[in-house]
Amino acid sequence: MVGVLECIMGILRLGWLIRFISHSVISGFTTASAIVIGLSQAKYFLGYDIVRSSKIIPLLKSIIAGIDKFSWPPFVMGSVVLAILLAMKHLGKTRKSLRILRAAGPLTGVVFGTVFVKIFHPSSISVVGEIPQGLPTFSVPKDFSYVVSLIPTAFLITGVAILESVGIAKALAAKNGYELDSNQELVGLGLANICGSFFSAYPTTGSFSRSAVNHESGAKTGVAGIVTGIIMGCALLFLTPLFTDIPQCGLAAIVISAVLGLVDYDEAIFLWNVDKKDFLLWTITFSTTLFLGIEIGVLIGVGVSLAFVIHESANPHIAVLGRLPGTTVYRNVQQYPEAYTYHGIVIVRIDSPIYFANISHIKDRLREYETTVDKSTRRGPEVERVYFVIIEMAPVTYIDSSAAQALKDLYQEYKSRDIQIAISNPNREVLLTLTKSGLVDLIGKEWYFVRVHDAVQVCLQQVQSLSESPKIANSPLESGKPSFLKRLLKQRGEDFLSSQLEAGQHADAVPQDDPNPNLEEPLLPRKP
């Protein structure tokens, strides 16, 4: 059942779900898991049993409670084997001529321990003991009466297996600089579980300890797994008597040596210096894995990671744009302090798709920018308030129906305050959605532009005309006179064709009188 679920996920290309497991989560998870796995091997070093747990507190309590049973011989032998492993690993890493030592380390440790036990027969050092000879028998499941009751368990095992397998796989992929195909991993796990079920195997998942041993031995490809499987099969058939006297403290030393390389404290220091949010995510995953267990830790880490994604998506970055001196380029005024804005005009850029979850935040920020833009950087004709809001939509890749309706409401709200919205550079899909929702006709095709500067050019001329008649501009509804927007729309009442809209042909809307002498930089060249 677990294998079928994993294969279905792989075939349906659902591996993208694993992309939400960030590198910070993987690093925190593997670091805590390495510590827990290392402590779980302590019983073979100390010479007495400790509780089996994936949490650090019960492990530490059990180790402390049984300290009076401490035995020197397994501790000394385990420490010697561990020292041999670390020394051979170091030599293999630092000297290319001796890199074979890195792969030969575990075998050397096992041989050393086995020979010592066979010669001296120390009673205080526990050994592997007798291993049943032969391969498990082939059998076909016949009783399916438990299928319904096993469905929740199968889903739980599938989820944990995927998280743990892909977790260690992504950690090793990042460590060795290669890409991981999550769908291929799912299909591989599924096939392994389906085949293993006919031999009464446990559900298969990626093992942190064995993967670490495999990696530290220098394995690079899946051929290492094939070779290991063949050797294991041959060993089960013919060599089990040789494994009887392998000291368990020597095997524990191999595991501890391997998981030491997964303790990634350097990543925590890097995240602290680069991104405090990712460091917080690393810390949460590390702590929950360490104190609440591997399964709960990875689930909480993924949950918090998804919460960060949702928060970022619901609170997108919105920038106020200003014009760089001597250019027609508009950039974020916080990133480019020399950029300046114009009186009566607010230019904003929305750096994300617009949809139901973030439209409220976007509307709130637009209202905020209407009143809080720094006036010290403004130029051009002086007016008392904002008359134009230009929305740069180049980064907006998608807009849904809820956002389109919210923009309609925002337009009506602006209209009641005599403020005109202008849209700059929407992509084809966004423009199509705006057209279907009626927003293009509502705002007016003449207020859609290809470039921000085209929009500024038109708006600035209108602000200039307002500055020349301040009384009318400041009191648009007095004495029955038409509002600013009505006068503006009457002046620009021509109906723009769709081709003109896409081509940005707004030059005819620019009055041909002399430019305002207050402008420090000319607008786009006029027609001759």
Side-chain angles (χ1 to χ4, degrees), residues 353-401:
I354 306 176
Y355 67 112
F356 66 93
N358 63 15
I359 187 61
S360 297
H361 172 78
I362 292 172
K363 289 172 65 177
D364 292 341
R365 295 297 297 273
L366 289 176
R367 295 189 189 100
E368 176 186 336
Y369 290 142
E370 183 186 337
T371 57
T372 60
V373 177
D374 184 9
K375 295 183 179 181
S376 63
T377 63
R378 292 188 177 185
R379 301 186 185 183
E382 294 189 8
V383 289
E384 295 181 356
R385 65 180 184 87
V386 172
Y387 285 96
F388 296 95
V389 174
I390 301 172
I391 303 177
E392 161 69 303
M393 284 194 171
V396 178
T397 57
Y398 167 77
I399 183 170
D400 70 355
S401 57

Side-chain angles (χ1 to χ4, degrees), residues 308-329:
F308 282 170
V309 171
I310 294 172
H311 179 269
E312 290 295 327
S313 178
N315 297 272
H317 180 260
I318 303 175
V320 175
L321 304 185
R323 182 178 178 181
L324 297 180
T327 72
T328 58
V329 176

Side-chain angles (χ1 to χ4, degrees), residues 9 12-21 182-183 186:
M9 291 184 67
L12 296 179
R13 313 294 293 176
L14 297 180
W16 61 269
L17 295 171
I18 302 170
R19 298 175 192 169
F20 288 98
I21 308 176
S182 301
N183 296 304
L186 291 175

Side-chain angles (χ1 to χ4, degrees), residues 13 15 166 178-187:
R13 313 294 293 176
V166 177
Y178 60 85
E179 292 295 326
L180 179 72
D181 187 341
S182 301
N183 296 304
Q184 190 174 357
E185 291 290 317
L186 291 175
V187 172

Side-chain angles (χ1 to χ4, degrees), residues 298-456:
V298 74
L299 291 175
I300 291 178
V302 172
V304 175
S305 182
L306 287 175
F308 282 170
V309 171
I310 294 172
H311 179 269
E312 290 295 327
S313 178
N315 297 272
H317 180 260
I318 303 175
V320 175
L321 304 185
R323 182 178 178 181
L324 297 180
T327 72
T328 58
V329 176
Y330 292 78
R331 290 292 183 266
N332 188 346
V333 294
Q334 292 186 347
Q335 185 177 358
Y336 297 90
E338 68 274 17
Y340 58 86
T341 58
Y342 291 104
H343 292 286
I345 304 173
V346 175
I347 312 166
V348 297
R349 186 187 67 221
I350 302 172
D351 294 330
S352 78
I354 306 176
Y355 67 112
F356 66 93
N358 63 15
I359 187 61
S360 297
H361 172 78
I362 292 172
K363 289 172 65 177
D364 292 341
R365 295 297 297 273
L366 289 176
R367 295 189 189 100
E368 176 186 336
Y369 290 142
E370 183 186 337
T371 57
T372 60
V373 177
D374 184 9
K375 295 183 179 181
S376 63
T377 63
R378 292 188 177 185
R379 301 186 185 183
E382 294 189 8
V383 289
E384 295 181 356
R385 65 180 184 87
V386 172
Y387 285 96
F388 296 95
V389 174
I390 301 172
I391 303 177
E392 161 69 303
M393 284 194 171
V396 178
T397 57
Y398 167 77
I399 183 170
D400 70 355
S401 57
S402 300
Q405 184 60 47
L407 289 177
K408 282 185 177 181
D409 298 338
L410 183 65
Y411 171 78
Q412 297 296 345
E413 179 184 329
Y414 277 153
K415 185 178 179 181
S416 67
R417 300 203 298 272
D418 272 351
I419 299 174
Q420 175 64 48
I421 290 180
I423 305 295
S424 168
N425 198 21
N427 69 31
R428 182 178 180 275
E429 296 299 327
V430 171
L431 186 58
L432 185 61
T433 302
L434 296 178
T435 303
K436 289 180 178 179
S437 67
L439 197 60
V440 170
D441 293 329
L442 181 65
I443 295 177
K445 294 179 181 180
E446 65 273 18
W447 293 107
Y448 285 76
F449 301 85
V450 171
R451 299 188 306 163
V452 173
H453 191 64
D454 295 337
V456 173

Side-chain angles (χ1 to χ4, degrees), residues 206-244:
S207 167
F208 272 87
S209 56
R210 278 176 279 279
S211 296
V213 170
N214 195 43
H215 174 259
E216 289 300 325
S217 298
K220 298 296 183 183
T221 69
V223 175
I226 296 174
V227 173
T228 301
I230 294 173
I231 293 175
M232 286 294 296
C234 295
L236 287 171
L237 289 171
F238 310 112
L239 303 177
T240 52
L242 297 178
F243 303 144
T244 304

Side-chain angles (χ1 to χ4, degrees), residues 273-291:
N273 293 328
V274 174
D275 191 334
K276 299 297 190 296
K277 183 182 68 176
D278 281 342
F279 174 77
L280 176 62
L281 185 59
W282 186 96
T283 304
I284 291 173
T285 307
F286 173 79
S287 302
T288 52
T289 303
L290 204 59
F291 293 101

